[in-house]
Amino acid sequence: MGKRENIVVGLDIGTTKISAIVGEVVDDGVDIIGVGTAPSKGLRKGVVINIESTVESIRKAIDEAEVISGQKITSVYTGIAGGHIRGINSHGICALKDNEVRAIDVEKAIDAAQAVAIPLDREVIHVIPQEFVVDDQDGIKDPVGMSGVRLEAKVHIVTAAVTSAQNIVKCCNRAGLNVNDIILEQLAASEATLSQEEKI
Amino acid sequence: MHTSVLSIGGNHISNDIAVGLRTPVAEAEKIKTRHGCALSSMVGREERIEVPSVGGGPDRIFSRQILSEIIEPRVEELFTLIKQEITKSGYEDMLASGIVISGGSTLLEGMPELAEQIFNLPVRRGIPKGIGGLVDVVKSPLHATGVGLVLYGSRHQGARLFRNREENVYQRVKERMREWIEEIF
């Protein structure tokens, strides 16, 4: 089996089925080159309750995807779901030097927005910048280069139970896979199904 | 933006069918995907289905109407809970584009129709798009999350590789010092 550079694998660990989808990044987007599915046995309500059977199902789905795509799969992007997911809105402020927004100011404002009390048993999965406010002007998507004295970032923070996320990583590792990133399943689904106008 | 997860899914529907028609859960799952309908008014009165018994008894014949009368209340409950969640989020009046449903359960016949009745908004099934290659295989709401993970991965891969390049210690120190100096002036 070959190993190409630009391969991205999505592993959807669901309650009913587990599916592995292999995509190849090409110039004008992504080509799907392999799909593998297996019935899921070790989950309830989106959360891993049996590591052994989950690993087995993951292996089955990955093996199938490897055969179809002809690629060796070593790392995956995987999803997370379940009743433990919470979303909160937060905002952070940064004073602007030189009366102009620089990329580093945007980072600082987003970092400041992340300064919320998150219990030890939860971890941040996503920090999604929604809009920026420069002085009193709101609704700004990309503030870099704008003039102003004060930058405010409005972000949405998604957190999950640490143990649930760890169990997913553990299952993937035991199946011989590295996890590149854990993504909220709804967010992933929206990435694939919504048009640009619908996202706004 | 608002995120919320309800722990109700397709396997609840299968369990309901298993209990209601007295059949094993695995069979209930098959019956659901083959004959299930979320809106009982969409089912013809004469349609019949065969249901295997628990413990290998003879198959029994039920009307498809009964099956959809088991599914409908559960799906209705699910959508009502989602509606309450949307009301709680305060974004109720801003959903002009409507609602997109995804996942294997949404393949059930009548699912978007029932959702439209409850939400009073346009509802469609989310079919993965923006991809090439084996499109026919993944062109189903069943694969929305999987394809989405691939797309998310491909879109965020560049940023990650970029960050890795900066892991070089000298680069990082230089970068940090540049930031300090910028801070001072």
Side-chain angles (χ1 to χ4, degrees):
Chain A
M1 265 187 270
K3 173 97 178 79
R4 273 183 267 180
E5 279 289 306
N6 41 0
I7 294 295
V8 178
V9 183
L11 182 68
D12 173 16
I13 305 174
T15 307
T16 314
K17 59 133 186 48
I18 291 184
S19 73
I21 297 185
V22 188
E24 184 181 12
V25 182
V26 289
D27 292 336
D28 55 341
V30 177
D31 279 352
I32 302 298
I33 57 169
V35 180
T37 53
S40 174
K41 301 247 163 58
L43 276 91
R44 262 191 81 184
K45 298 181 179 180
V47 174
V48 177
I49 54 155
N50 184 332
I51 292 202
E52 285 308 311
S53 26
T54 308
V55 171
E56 208 174 286
S57 304
I58 291 176
R59 213 45 255 179
K60 253 185 224 163
I62 290 284
D63 286 345
E64 198 182 316
E66 278 182 339
V67 169
I68 293 176
S69 66
Q71 296 293 315
K72 180 98 187 84
I73 297 170
T74 50
S75 64
V76 293
Y77 288 85
T78 187
I80 190 165
H84 56 90
I85 305 279
R86 301 269 182 286
I88 46 169
N89 288 318
S90 170
H91 56 109
I93 296 165
C94 170
L96 299 176
K97 297 214 161 101
D98 308 330
N99 292 341
E100 194 180 292
V101 182
R102 294 165 302 168
I104 190 170
D105 296 319
V106 176
E107 266 176 48
K108 274 187 198 160
I110 293 171
D111 279 348
Q114 287 183 57
V116 286
I118 289 159
L120 282 177
D121 59 342
R122 315 192 91 346
E123 72 174 295
V124 175
I125 301 272
H126 294 288
V127 177
I128 308 162
Q130 293 189 264
E131 63 162 7
F132 295 92
V133 183
V134 178
D135 292 348
D136 283 323
Q137 180 61 54
D138 60 357
I140 300 165
K141 291 273 166 224
D142 181 14
V144 176
M146 289 184 75
S147 296
V149 291
R150 172 185 189 271
L151 175 73
E152 182 181 348
K154 291 189 175 172
V155 301
H156 186 68
I157 300 174
V158 181
T159 65
V162 173
T163 46
S164 283
Q166 275 171 350
N167 281 337
I168 290 174
V169 175
K170 200 178 273 178
C171 288
C172 291
N173 288 346
R174 289 216 186 151
L177 303 162
N178 288 321
V179 177
N180 290 331
D181 205 352
I182 294 185
I183 299 131
L184 178 68
E185 279 179 14
Q186 294 93 314
L187 192 72
S190 76
E191 195 88 13
T193 57
L194 299 190
S195 60
Q196 205 54 45
E197 307 89 72
E198 284 173 321
K199 281 187 194 171
I200 297 167
Chain B
M1 204 164 157
H2 184 83
T3 307
S4 176
V5 179
L6 299 168
S7 306
I8 306 179
N11 55 340
H12 284 87
I13 303 173
S14 304
N15 277 338
D16 287 349
I17 297 170
V19 173
L21 301 183
R22 275 175 275 115
T23 185
V25 179
E27 291 297 335
E29 175 82 28
K30 276 187 215 155
I31 292 168
K32 178 184 77 176
T33 46
R34 216 171 289 159
H35 308 287
C37 181
L39 206 59
S40 54
S41 57
M42 282 171 72
V43 178
R45 235 158 232 302
E46 303 78 38
E47 291 177 65
R48 294 276 181 275
I49 52 165
E50 272 180 37
V51 178
S53 300
V54 181
D59 286 5
R60 288 153 303 147
I61 308 287
F62 280 98
S63 93
R64 200 172 157 228
Q65 187 90 38
I66 289 178
L67 176 67
S68 74
E69 276 166 13
I70 295 171
I71 299 172
E72 191 176 320
R74 179 62 89 174
V75 178
E76 215 177 289
E77 182 200 10
L78 170 64
F79 285 140
T80 312
L81 286 170
I82 296 173
K83 196 180 178 193
Q84 283 170 6
E85 196 59 47
I86 295 173
T87 312
K88 225 165 55 182
S89 78
Y91 290 110
E92 205 177 4
D93 302 327
M94 289 179 233
L95 300 177
S97 326
I99 290 172
V100 177
I101 53 178
S102 75
S105 303
T106 63
L107 285 170
L108 266 181
E109 206 185 316
M111 206 73 162
E113 287 81 358
L114 180 60
E116 269 176 1
Q117 281 183 15
I118 292 170
F119 293 113
N120 264 324
L121 282 165
V123 177
R124 69 170 175 90
R125 289 188 178 100
I127 291 160
K129 54 187 177 190
I131 42 165
L134 304 169
V135 181
D136 292 338
V137 187
V138 294
K139 220 174 133 193
S140 149
L142 197 79
H143 292 295
T145 308
V147 173
L149 287 169
V150 173
L151 289 175
Y152 186 97
S154 71
R155 282 168 198 168
H156 292 75
Q157 205 181 24
R160 213 169 46 86
L161 290 176
F162 181 69
R163 212 182 296 157
N164 282 349
R165 215 181 299 145
E166 275 184 358
E167 304 262 287
N168 183 324
V169 184
Y170 290 111
Q171 281 286 334
R172 248 166 50 196
V173 171
K174 231 168 84 186
E175 186 66 22
R176 190 59 69 81
M177 283 167 78
R178 201 178 58 81
E179 276 173 31
W180 286 343
I181 294 163
E182 267 182 31
E183 289 275 297
I184 296 165
F185 301 107

Short mmCIF file of all heavy atoms in Angstrom, two decimals, chain A residues 8 13 28 39 41-44 47 61 63 66 95 105 118-120 130 134 138 152-153 161 168 171 175 189 195 199:
data_model
loop_
_atom_site.label_atom_id
_atom_site.label_comp_id
_atom_site.label_asym_id
_atom_site.label_seq_id
_atom_site.Cartn_x
_atom_site.Cartn_y
_atom_site.Cartn_z
N VAL A 8 -6.19 13.01 3.67
CA VAL A 8 -6.87 13.38 4.91
C VAL A 8 -7.94 12.32 5.18
O VAL A 8 -8.72 11.99 4.30
CB VAL A 8 -7.53 14.77 4.79
CG1 VAL A 8 -8.26 15.11 6.07
CG2 VAL A 8 -6.49 15.84 4.51
N ILE A 13 -17.09 8.28 14.48
CA ILE A 13 -17.42 7.22 15.44
C ILE A 13 -18.82 7.48 15.96
O ILE A 13 -19.03 8.30 16.84
CB ILE A 13 -16.40 7.19 16.60
CG1 ILE A 13 -14.98 7.07 16.03
CG2 ILE A 13 -16.69 6.05 17.55
CD1 ILE A 13 -13.89 7.17 17.08
N ASP A 28 -8.19 21.76 -6.70
CA ASP A 28 -9.48 22.45 -6.63
C ASP A 28 -10.41 21.85 -5.59
O ASP A 28 -11.61 21.81 -5.76
CB ASP A 28 -10.14 22.48 -8.01
CG ASP A 28 -10.30 21.08 -8.58
OD1 ASP A 28 -9.58 20.17 -8.10
OD2 ASP A 28 -11.12 20.88 -9.48
N PRO A 39 -20.46 -1.71 11.59
CA PRO A 39 -21.43 -1.46 12.65
C PRO A 39 -20.70 -1.15 13.94
O PRO A 39 -19.66 -1.72 14.23
CB PRO A 39 -22.20 -2.77 12.77
CG PRO A 39 -21.76 -3.64 11.67
CD PRO A 39 -20.49 -3.08 11.10
N LYS A 41 -20.29 -1.08 17.96
CA LYS A 41 -20.81 -1.92 19.05
C LYS A 41 -20.53 -1.31 20.43
O LYS A 41 -21.19 -1.64 21.39
CB LYS A 41 -20.17 -3.31 18.98
CG LYS A 41 -20.44 -4.04 17.67
CD LYS A 41 -21.31 -5.25 17.90
CE LYS A 41 -21.93 -5.76 16.61
NZ LYS A 41 -20.94 -6.12 15.59
N GLY A 42 -19.53 -0.46 20.52
CA GLY A 42 -19.09 -0.05 21.85
C GLY A 42 -19.52 1.34 22.28
O GLY A 42 -18.89 1.93 23.15
N LEU A 43 -20.58 1.90 21.67
CA LEU A 43 -20.98 3.25 22.07
C LEU A 43 -22.43 3.28 22.52
O LEU A 43 -23.26 2.47 22.09
CB LEU A 43 -20.82 4.22 20.89
CG LEU A 43 -19.43 4.80 20.68
CD1 LEU A 43 -18.67 3.92 19.74
CD2 LEU A 43 -19.52 6.20 20.15
N ARG A 44 -22.72 4.23 23.40
CA ARG A 44 -24.12 4.52 23.74
C ARG A 44 -24.27 6.02 23.78
O ARG A 44 -23.48 6.72 24.40
CB ARG A 44 -24.48 3.93 25.10
CG ARG A 44 -25.20 2.60 24.95
CD ARG A 44 -25.78 2.15 26.25
NE ARG A 44 -27.05 2.81 26.53
CZ ARG A 44 -27.71 2.64 27.67
NH1 ARG A 44 -27.21 1.89 28.60
NH2 ARG A 44 -28.86 3.25 27.86
N VAL A 47 -21.24 8.19 23.16
CA VAL A 47 -20.09 8.16 24.07
C VAL A 47 -19.57 6.72 24.16
O VAL A 47 -20.35 5.78 24.21
CB VAL A 47 -20.51 8.67 25.47
CG1 VAL A 47 -19.38 8.52 26.46
CG2 VAL A 47 -20.96 10.13 25.39
N ALA A 61 -13.58 -0.67 9.95
CA ALA A 61 -13.88 0.44 9.03
C ALA A 61 -12.61 0.92 8.35
O ALA A 61 -12.59 1.17 7.14
CB ALA A 61 -14.54 1.58 9.80
N ASP A 63 -9.74 -0.77 7.88
CA ASP A 63 -9.24 -1.78 6.95
C ASP A 63 -9.95 -1.68 5.61
O ASP A 63 -9.32 -1.72 4.55
CB ASP A 63 -9.42 -3.19 7.54
CG ASP A 63 -8.43 -3.48 8.65
OD1 ASP A 63 -7.44 -2.71 8.75
OD2 ASP A 63 -8.63 -4.44 9.40
N GLU A 66 -8.85 1.33 3.76
CA GLU A 66 -7.49 1.15 3.24
C GLU A 66 -7.50 0.34 1.96
O GLU A 66 -6.81 0.66 0.99
CB GLU A 66 -6.61 0.45 4.29
CG GLU A 66 -6.07 1.39 5.35
CD GLU A 66 -5.15 0.70 6.35
OE1 GLU A 66 -5.22 -0.54 6.50
OE2 GLU A 66 -4.37 1.42 7.00
N ALA A 95 -6.51 46.40 23.38
CA ALA A 95 -6.27 47.79 22.98
C ALA A 95 -5.34 47.81 21.77
O ALA A 95 -4.46 46.96 21.66
CB ALA A 95 -5.63 48.56 24.13
N ASP A 105 -3.01 41.48 17.16
CA ASP A 105 -4.09 42.01 18.00
C ASP A 105 -5.31 41.09 17.97
O ASP A 105 -5.98 40.87 18.98
CB ASP A 105 -4.50 43.41 17.53
CG ASP A 105 -3.35 44.40 17.68
OD1 ASP A 105 -2.66 44.33 18.71
OD2 ASP A 105 -3.16 45.23 16.77
N ILE A 118 -13.22 27.44 33.14
CA ILE A 118 -13.64 26.15 32.62
C ILE A 118 -13.28 25.09 33.65
O ILE A 118 -12.12 25.00 34.05
CB ILE A 118 -12.99 25.86 31.25
CG1 ILE A 118 -13.62 26.80 30.21
CG2 ILE A 118 -13.20 24.42 30.83
CD1 ILE A 118 -12.80 27.00 28.98
N PRO A 119 -14.27 24.32 34.14
CA PRO A 119 -13.98 23.33 35.18
C PRO A 119 -12.89 22.35 34.73
O PRO A 119 -12.68 22.14 33.53
CB PRO A 119 -15.31 22.60 35.35
CG PRO A 119 -16.34 23.48 34.74
CD PRO A 119 -15.66 24.31 33.73
N LEU A 120 -12.19 21.76 35.69
CA LEU A 120 -11.07 20.87 35.39
C LEU A 120 -11.49 19.65 34.58
O LEU A 120 -10.69 19.06 33.88
CB LEU A 120 -10.42 20.41 36.70
CG LEU A 120 -9.48 21.42 37.35
CD1 LEU A 120 -8.97 20.87 38.67
CD2 LEU A 120 -8.33 21.75 36.42
N GLN A 130 -16.54 34.65 15.93
CA GLN A 130 -17.77 34.88 15.17
C GLN A 130 -17.77 36.23 14.49
O GLN A 130 -18.08 36.34 13.33
CB GLN A 130 -18.97 34.78 16.10
CG GLN A 130 -19.14 33.38 16.59
CD GLN A 130 -20.44 33.27 17.30
OE1 GLN A 130 -20.52 33.38 18.51
NE2 GLN A 130 -21.48 33.09 16.54
N VAL A 134 -14.72 46.81 16.13
CA VAL A 134 -13.65 47.79 16.21
C VAL A 134 -14.29 49.11 16.63
O VAL A 134 -15.18 49.60 15.94
CB VAL A 134 -12.91 47.95 14.87
CG1 VAL A 134 -11.83 49.02 14.99
CG2 VAL A 134 -12.29 46.63 14.44
N ASP A 138 -19.72 47.06 14.72
CA ASP A 138 -19.77 45.60 14.89
C ASP A 138 -19.97 44.91 13.54
O ASP A 138 -20.07 45.56 12.50
CB ASP A 138 -20.86 45.21 15.90
CG ASP A 138 -22.24 45.64 15.46
OD1 ASP A 138 -22.33 46.30 14.41
OD2 ASP A 138 -23.21 45.34 16.17
N GLU A 152 -12.61 44.21 19.83
CA GLU A 152 -13.31 43.23 20.65
C GLU A 152 -13.61 42.02 19.78
O GLU A 152 -14.06 42.16 18.64
CB GLU A 152 -14.62 43.84 21.18
CG GLU A 152 -15.38 42.91 22.08
CD GLU A 152 -16.69 43.52 22.60
OE1 GLU A 152 -16.90 44.74 22.44
OE2 GLU A 152 -17.49 42.75 23.13
N ALA A 153 -13.32 40.82 20.32
CA ALA A 153 -13.62 39.59 19.58
C ALA A 153 -14.78 38.88 20.26
O ALA A 153 -14.78 38.73 21.48
CB ALA A 153 -12.40 38.68 19.58
N ALA A 161 -16.42 16.88 27.94
CA ALA A 161 -15.86 16.18 29.09
C ALA A 161 -14.50 15.61 28.71
O ALA A 161 -14.37 14.96 27.67
CB ALA A 161 -16.80 15.08 29.55
N ILE A 168 -11.96 8.55 23.25
CA ILE A 168 -11.95 8.50 21.79
C ILE A 168 -10.51 8.39 21.29
O ILE A 168 -10.19 7.56 20.45
CB ILE A 168 -12.64 9.75 21.21
CG1 ILE A 168 -14.14 9.67 21.49
CG2 ILE A 168 -12.39 9.87 19.70
CD1 ILE A 168 -14.91 10.89 21.09
N CYS A 171 -9.15 4.92 21.98
CA CYS A 171 -9.66 3.91 21.03
C CYS A 171 -8.89 4.00 19.71
O CYS A 171 -8.51 2.97 19.15
CB CYS A 171 -11.14 4.12 20.76
SG CYS A 171 -12.18 3.66 22.14
N ALA A 175 -6.22 1.32 17.99
CA ALA A 175 -6.46 0.79 16.65
C ALA A 175 -5.28 1.15 15.73
O ALA A 175 -5.36 0.96 14.52
CB ALA A 175 -7.76 1.33 16.10
N ALA A 189 -20.42 18.13 10.22
CA ALA A 189 -21.54 17.92 9.28
C ALA A 189 -21.89 19.22 8.58
O ALA A 189 -22.19 19.23 7.38
CB ALA A 189 -22.74 17.35 10.02
N SER A 195 -24.24 25.60 2.47
CA SER A 195 -23.65 26.48 1.47
C SER A 195 -23.15 27.73 2.18
O SER A 195 -23.48 27.98 3.33
CB SER A 195 -24.68 26.84 0.41
OG SER A 195 -25.76 27.50 1.01
N LYS A 199 -24.30 29.65 6.05
CA LYS A 199 -23.44 29.69 7.23
C LYS A 199 -23.48 31.04 7.93
O LYS A 199 -23.09 31.16 9.07
CB LYS A 199 -21.99 29.37 6.83
CG LYS A 199 -21.75 27.89 6.63
CD LYS A 199 -20.28 27.64 6.41
CE LYS A 199 -20.06 26.25 5.87
NZ LYS A 199 -18.68 26.07 5.44
#
